[in-house]
Amino acid sequence: MDLQKLHLAPTTRPYPRPTIHHLRIVLASGLLFLLFLVSYYTTPVASISYRTAVRPSPHRASAVLARCRQLNAQAGPPQDFHQRRQSDRFEEGTSPVLIQNATIWTGADNGTEVVKGDILLDKGLIKGIGHLARAAALQTYGDDLVVVDAKGAWVTPGIVDVHSHMGGSPSPALSGAEDDNSFKGNIQPWLRSLDALNTHDDSYPLSIAGGVTTSLVLPGSADAIGGQAFVIKLRATAERSSSSMLLEPPHHINASFPDPNLPPRWRHIKHACGAHPYVVDKKCAVYDGTRMDTFWDFRQAYNTAKQIKERQDAYCAQALSNDWENLDDFPEDLQWEALVDVLRGRVKVNTHCYEAVDLDAFVRLSNEFQFPVAAFHHASEAYLVPDLLKQAYGNIFITGKPPAIALFAIYARYKREAYRASEFAPRVLAEHGLTVLMKSDHPAVNSRYLLHEAQQAYFYGFPENLAIASVTSNSADVLGMGHRIGYVTKGYDADLVIWDSHPLALGATPVQVFIDGIPQLDSPSVVSKPDNFQQSPKVPNFDDEAKKAVDYDGLPPLLPKKLPFDTTVMFMNVKAIQGIHNGTIQQKYLAREEAKLATVVTHNGSIVCYGTLEKCSKFANLQDPDVSVIDLEGGSILPGLVSFGCPLGLEHINQEPSTNDGSVYDPLYDSIPDNIGGDSSIIRAVDGLQYGTRHALLAYRSGVTVAVTAPIHDGFFSGLGTSFSLGASHKLEDGAIVQEVTAVHVSVRHLSGPSISTQIAVLRRQLRGPFKGETGLWFKKVRLGQIPLVVEAHSADVIATLLVLKKEIETESGRNMRFTITGGAEAYLLARQLSEANVGVILSPARPFPHVWEGRRILPGPPISNNSTVMELISNNVAVGLGCEGMWSSSARNLPFNIAWAAIESGGRLSKEEAIAMGSTNVLKLLGVNMDDTKVDLVATRGGDLGFESKVIAIISARQKTVHMF
């Protein structure tokens, strides 16, 4: 534009008269401006909707002011809460109870207070603790009083599970009730787990039988914000409704925007970060993305909530100053009100976050939008970044505490995020002043045994007081319910557990469970245990291992130290020696007093002498520098254990295909390529073995020296199993392969593919012939009894059909088949028939759970039933082995605990040798591994044999002609 040509028109020039055209322009411009104003003042950056604006009238002023004053009210119990005389959950007709002569872990003084005395329960509350006179109680309550003599037994608060999907993902799992995950969007704070809380879940009574009285039921982790969570008590109610199970239900469950005059109650919400939201959803083809996408979704959501909060605050600032000019309706939105409440500090944020990168991002999110975090769940790398966690918003000035960390004890490496998880995380975090909670993630991990998570944490060095608190008082506090549950205190809810042993003793089982003062166990089965089970268990020292876990950034070296060939090792102060003779566990030595502790000398991985030091001195001299001397401090030498059920040797990280052998083709589901033999091909697990996995090495360090593994499969056909050493470095090492082919493995289950009858028809066809190709070759061996047929089956109906088929084939062939059932949840129903057919069972898991319909009829064991599944089978002379479960390869290391637990639960009916056999010789026999007594690995333990008191310090391997030291 040429600036010199510009000139101004005279100011005195009259304006032209407006034309119709001009008026139209003015009206249109005004209308557009009006629409802009409406849009500007009613829509934040993220689109939300409001109710129709209505200017408050004077008579509504009090309601508006009440709403505004409520904005800053903090959640929690009213000030007079502990003056209550009756619980809001009290059931009419509940009798008062006096528990006498108890050892009471109260939860007070950071879990260190233990009181000897009595507890009075009435009206759903704890009415008194101390030395209470029975006569006075009888005078008050008369014949209604129920007196329970605890006989010195431990009493704790009810177990509190901070991470459960009970009810939302009920058991047995059925497609019509899988409601814990929504795939409608990545951000859904408006969803509520209460709306999916199914009252028909077989888990409720089972978890109560483990002492669990309260659970936080969370939505799943498919979404970054999966919805609101709710705290429930597990007992059945007279109303039989989901709502009646709630503990302190938020007022929002019956009103979109509740009465502002009511004191706010704690609310809970589920978040998930890291890989999980998108990994889950990729499988369902809902949305795709990265960690960056997840946190942008978080930020957008919280920005929307922040804008609403700011509008509310501005609105109320004006209203509270008595300025009603231009005030329309209160700004709120039903979809986002829960997140607004998060920003007001009235919602407990529970966040599924594993890795340091995710924890860091979420800590930054909490600071950006200024909201406290109640707990990080799973948090497998939290122990590596404790100082980061203390930087979360509100640590010092708001909540006074950093977020709690809710963990598994030993479950790890099932996905990449959990690869660096450590059994030492609880103790490390506690040393840094962080609150640690043990959790279940039910039904993925059975919450009935939540206490066992605390027991394992204690075994690896988590302090005793904090271990018990991690599933009681600290859990209750983190849920915002520490004013009424989690402690044995006068005025608190009458939620108690009487235990048959010290709560941290392996196999501790409730004698009775009270919820709201109501006993939950009818005629409980109680196993008699020795007096020493009432004492705090003695556990090994893992200080060095815990330090290395941190020093090596979660991946400490696990390979054992292999002593050179021709090395002599002398083990001192050995209490017991068990060995194998003709395939049977036998006790070779037992010192019944300390003076009789033995000396054991090994050379090239074989025992050459045991007995007195004098006797064995001819084989080794204590003064010889070439002799390695190891003090077992009253420990034992026993046969190495055998794992089956987890794909040890075929996977590093379960959910990372590039780290695994992968699944085999299945002729019932797939077309098998001709170049591997078509439908007559059979896959060998030995060909896919991977040595040196962390699962295998940790199991080896726990005394599990051999694994039997079948090819990974998703349907009917698996292939040929193999047996290998968990301590070997590679396949070509001496002794690395124990037996190349062990058995033929198949599964007969109610899966999504061909019917059970079809699967049985295929088995019948394979066993009858004609025997074609390699598959035919191996099934012919099965028919002739040369190798076992190992069938995974859980349903008693399927197992019965398999027994009929076995008899049919044996009648035709005139030969006895070798047949083993694995899984076996309902096998006890056919215990006599299995014994008559000479069919053994490997229970996987060792303590069955009704995950699916075909395994719903479990035998729960004490305190619900007299016999466990193990004892029911053994009582009928069925050979039993103990296996581990599917994706939880990290649990293979727990086989010694499972063996000891089964023995404890037997009440003395199982000898130590019979118990060890369930994890060794029985497994080998049932899976077709030929035993050479002279080649069996031996395990040296310090401080004990099986259970919590011992630590494996060496493997004596005759097969590899060496001793492995840890």
Side-chain angles (χ1 to χ4, degrees):
M1 181 180 293
D2 187 354
L3 296 178
Q4 294 179 349
K5 293 182 179 179
L6 288 175
H7 64 275
L8 295 176
T11 57
T12 57
R13 182 178 177 178
Y15 287 99
R17 293 182 63 185
T19 64
I20 297 297
H21 175 70
H22 291 146
L23 288 174
R24 286 175 177 168
I25 293 174
V26 171
L27 289 172
S29 299
L31 181 60
L32 288 172
F33 183 70
L34 179 62
L35 290 173
F36 168 77
L37 290 177
V38 171
S39 174
Y40 182 83
Y41 284 104
T42 60
T43 307
V45 173
S47 177
I48 60 175
S49 60
Y50 291 94
R51 295 185 292 171
T52 304
V54 178
R55 176 172 297 183
S57 58
H59 70 271
R60 292 184 58 228
S62 61
V64 171
L65 293 175
R67 181 68 183 274
C68 288
R69 293 190 185 99
Q70 192 261 1
L71 292 185
N72 295 316
Q74 291 303 301
Q79 291 184 350
D80 63 349
F81 181 80
H82 289 296
Q83 297 175 20
R84 60 183 182 153
R85 296 178 177 273
Q86 177 175 303
S87 171
D88 53 326
R89 294 181 50 80
F90 174 63
E91 295 266 5
E92 290 293 340
T94 302
S95 298
V97 177
L98 177 62
I99 302 171
Q100 293 190 305
N101 305 316
T103 303
I104 308 164
W105 187 91
T106 68
D109 296 335
N110 199 28
T112 61
E113 182 182 73
V114 176
V115 174
K116 299 279 189 177
D118 314 320
I119 309 170
L120 179 64
L121 314 179
D122 187 31
K123 303 295 183 184
L125 302 176
I126 298 172
K127 292 290 189 175
I129 302 171
H131 296 286
L132 308 175
R134 177 174 180 173
L138 283 170
Q139 186 175 1
T140 302
Y141 297 106
D143 293 339
D144 289 339
L145 182 69
V146 176
V147 179
V148 177
D149 186 356
K151 299 179 181 178
W154 284 85
V155 175
T156 70
I159 301 297
V160 179
D161 188 358
V162 298
H163 190 124
S164 179
H165 303 286
M166 191 176 289
S169 184
S171 302
L174 295 168
S175 60
E178 286 296 321
D179 292 318
D180 61 333
N181 276 309
S182 168
F183 299 101
K184 299 294 186 180
N186 202 27
I187 302 291
Q188 301 189 84
W190 45 85
L191 299 183
R192 306 184 300 184
S193 67
L194 171 62
D195 299 327
L197 185 66
N198 201 311
T199 57
H200 304 296
D201 186 335
D202 289 358
S203 302
Y204 294 130
L206 293 173
S207 292
I208 289 171
V212 180
T213 58
T214 305
S215 293
L216 176 63
V217 177
L218 297 154
S221 304
D223 310 320
I225 302 181
Q228 298 164 47
F230 291 82
V231 180
I232 67 168
K233 289 200 181 182
L234 273 57
R235 71 170 175 85
T237 65
E239 188 177 292
R240 301 184 183 182
S241 69
S242 304
S243 296
S244 65
M245 299 178 72
L246 297 182
L247 178 61
E248 291 199 356
H251 304 303
H252 296 73
I253 69 168
N254 290 313
S256 300
F257 305 102
D259 183 348
N261 296 303
L262 296 172
R265 291 175 171 175
W266 279 114
R267 305 172 70 186
H268 302 80
I269 198 165
K270 173 70 176 293
H271 290 12
C273 53
H276 207 259
Y278 287 113
V279 168
V280 171
D281 293 334
K282 281 175 185 174
K283 294 178 181 178
C284 301
V286 177
Y287 22 78
D288 195 2
T290 65
R291 282 175 165 83
M292 294 183 290
D293 295 294
T294 296
F295 272 91
W296 175 240
D297 288 347
F298 274 131
R299 295 180 69 211
Q300 281 185 306
Y302 273 103
N303 192 50
T304 298
K306 178 183 177 183
Q307 292 184 11
I308 298 172
K309 177 180 179 293
E310 288 172 347
R311 290 182 183 280
Q312 292 176 349
D313 292 342
Y315 179 100
C316 287
Q318 185 175 342
L320 290 170
S321 64
N322 203 31
D323 178 5
W324 301 99
E325 187 66 27
N326 298 322
L327 275 187
D328 294 325
D329 202 13
F330 185 81
E332 58 194 6
D333 187 280
L334 183 59
Q335 279 192 306
W336 299 104
E337 61 83 21
L339 280 196
V340 174
D341 245 10
V342 170
L343 298 181
R344 297 198 181 280
R346 300 192 295 213
V347 182
K348 298 285 188 179
V349 176
N350 294 272
T351 304
H352 161 129
C353 265
Y354 280 79
E355 295 188 78
V357 59
D358 305 317
L359 296 167
D360 179 66
F362 206 90
V363 165
R364 286 187 280 106
L365 181 76
S366 77
N367 285 303
E368 179 180 2
F369 292 98
Q370 299 186 350
F371 64 89
V373 180
F376 285 113
H377 293 237
H378 301 304
S380 58
E381 293 187 12
Y383 73 103
L384 298 174
V385 290
D387 292 335
L388 166 67
L389 304 175
K390 297 175 184 179
Q391 298 172 32
Y393 177 76
N395 174 16
I396 298 175
F397 299 109
I398 308 298
T399 64
K401 286 186 176 181
I405 309 300
L407 298 170
F408 294 134
I410 57 95
Y411 291 120
R413 293 168 296 282
Y414 46 93
K415 57 179 176 176
R416 181 196 176 278
E417 294 178 310
Y419 192 64
R420 294 172 191 265
S422 172
E423 62 271 36
F424 306 112
R427 64 175 287 171
V428 172
L429 288 163
E431 288 164 2
H432 285 270
L434 292 159
T435 299
V436 178
L437 314 176
M438 306 311 295
K439 63 174 179 60
S440 76
D441 201 6
H442 186 95
V445 174
N446 182 3
S447 69
R448 179 180 179 184
Y449 303 117
L450 174 55
L451 184 62
H452 187 47
E453 296 295 304
Q455 292 169 352
Q456 292 172 87
Y458 171 66
F459 176 77
Y460 290 110
F462 194 32
E464 176 181 346
N465 59 313
L466 298 182
I468 302 176
S470 73
V471 291
T472 53
S473 54
N474 282 344
S475 294
D477 287 340
V478 171
L479 293 183
M481 298 293 164
H483 58 281
R484 64 181 298 168
I485 63 171
Y487 296 83
V488 184
T489 300
K490 184 178 179 180
Y492 274 54
D493 288 15
D495 297 352
L496 302 173
V497 184
I498 305 175
W499 300 95
D500 66 0
S501 50
H502 188 285
L504 295 181
L506 182 64
T509 301
V511 171
Q512 186 54 269
V513 179
F514 295 90
I515 303 180
D516 300 319
I518 305 171
Q520 300 296 303
L521 302 176
D522 295 329
S523 303
S525 297
V526 180
V527 174
S528 178
K529 296 181 179 179
D531 291 343
N532 66 329
F533 273 69
Q534 299 297 332
Q535 307 302 316
S536 300
K538 178 184 175 183
V539 293
N541 185 300
F542 287 100
D543 290 350
D544 184 57
E545 291 88 342
K547 183 177 183 301
K548 286 181 178 178
V550 177
D551 290 347
Y552 286 89
D553 201 26
L555 299 176
L558 297 175
L559 286 171
K561 175 186 175 183
K562 184 184 296 186
L563 297 184
F565 181 74
D566 207 27
T567 297
T568 297
V569 181
M570 179 179 286
F571 295 93
M572 309 293 294
N573 297 313
V574 181
K575 182 177 182 179
I577 305 171
Q578 273 91 21
I580 297 178
H581 181 69
N582 292 332
T584 303
I585 303 289
Q586 292 187 357
Q587 181 174 285
K588 293 186 173 182
Y589 185 85
L590 177 63
R592 300 191 182 278
E593 54 185 87
E594 189 171 345
K596 301 292 185 179
L597 295 176
T599 296
V600 176
V601 177
T602 71
H603 185 74
N604 287 340
S606 297
I607 293 178
V608 294
C609 177
Y610 65 88
T612 64
L613 177 60
E614 181 182 5
K615 173 184 175 183
C616 292
S617 61
K618 68 178 72 173
F619 295 92
N621 188 335
L622 282 173
Q623 310 306 318
D624 187 341
D626 294 328
V627 174
S628 297
V629 180
I630 301 172
D631 187 354
L632 294 190
E633 300 174 10
S636 300
I637 293 177
L638 63 155
L641 303 178
V642 182
S643 176
F644 175 76
C646 301
L648 288 179
L650 295 179
E651 68 172 27
H652 286 267
I653 306 172
N654 179 272
Q655 295 176 28
E656 291 289 343
S658 66
T659 73
N660 304 334
D661 182 49
S663 295
V664 301
Y665 289 108
D666 192 315
L668 285 188
Y669 296 81
D670 309 303
S671 176
I672 312 298
D674 290 338
N675 58 4
I676 62 169
D679 289 351
S680 63
S681 64
I682 193 166
I683 304 302
R684 301 182 182 215
V686 68
D687 295 332
L689 285 179
Q690 303 177 76
Y691 285 79
T693 71
R694 299 190 75 79
H695 291 309
L697 292 174
L698 286 167
Y700 195 64
R701 285 171 167 262
S702 299
V704 184
T705 63
V706 170
V708 180
T709 296
I712 299 172
H713 67 293
D714 300 319
F716 166 77
F717 202 53
S718 174
L720 300 176
T722 191
S723 179
F724 68 102
S725 170
L726 297 183
S729 300
H730 55 79
K731 186 181 294 184
L732 301 182
E733 194 172 280
D734 285 345
I737 301 294
V738 176
Q739 188 170 313
E740 284 198 12
V741 175
T742 54
V744 174
H745 292 255
V746 299
S747 293
V748 180
R749 300 197 58 188
H750 291 82
L751 302 172
S752 58
S755 66
I756 292 294
S757 51
T758 300
Q759 296 172 58
I760 294 295
V762 171
L763 259 187
R764 180 180 288 110
R765 171 72 171 75
Q766 295 290 352
L767 291 168
R768 277 183 166 177
F771 302 104
K772 296 181 179 180
E774 195 173 10
T775 300
L777 170 68
W778 289 101
F779 269 96
K780 186 174 183 179
K781 290 177 181 288
V782 170
R783 178 184 173 94
L784 296 175
Q786 295 174 359
I787 63 169
L789 177 63
V790 179
V791 184
E792 181 190 9
H794 296 269
S795 164
D797 299 309
V798 171
I799 295 171
T801 301
L802 290 168
L803 294 181
V804 171
L805 176 61
K806 177 179 184 289
K807 185 175 182 180
E808 177 184 322
I809 300 301
E810 289 176 337
T811 300
E812 289 181 3
S813 68
R815 306 287 290 269
N816 291 326
M817 288 176 58
R818 297 163 65 187
F819 208 103
T820 298
I821 298 295
T822 69
E826 297 184 355
Y828 75 94
L829 292 170
L830 299 166
R832 180 178 58 81
Q833 292 84 357
L834 286 165
S835 177
E836 291 171 353
N838 196 28
V839 173
V841 177
I842 297 179
L843 292 171
S844 300
R847 292 173 296 280
F849 174 77
H851 283 292
V852 291
W853 185 264
E854 65 182 2
R856 71 192 184 281
R857 297 175 292 184
I858 67 166
L859 187 64
I864 300 177
S865 61
N866 289 323
N867 270 350
S868 64
T869 303
V870 167
M871 287 311 303
E872 187 68 19
L873 291 168
I874 288 177
S875 298
N876 283 275
N877 298 314
V878 177
V880 175
L882 300 182
C884 65
E885 187 176 13
M887 67 176 282
W888 302 115
S889 291
S890 53
S891 68
R893 67 192 301 181
N894 275 0
L895 181 55
F897 295 161
N898 290 335
I899 291 169
W901 195 332
I904 292 166
E905 207 168 51
S906 77
R909 290 177 289 170
L910 273 182
S911 69
K912 181 179 293 185
E913 290 71 32
E914 290 172 320
I916 294 171
M918 291 193 298
S920 57
T921 52
N922 286 5
V923 178
L924 294 172
K925 291 173 186 176
L926 292 172
L927 296 177
V929 181
N930 300 318
M931 283 179 283
D932 181 347
D933 296 351
T934 64
K935 300 292 184 182
V936 171
D937 294 328
L938 296 173
V939 177
T941 64
R942 176 174 286 154
D945 41 32
L946 294 173
F948 276 7
E949 71 279 6
S950 67
K951 180 180 182 181
V952 174
I953 61 167
I955 304 294
I956 306 163
S957 179
R959 187 180 299 107
Q960 295 186 280
K961 299 179 181 179
T962 188
V963 173
H964 286 162
M965 305 290 296
F966 303 120

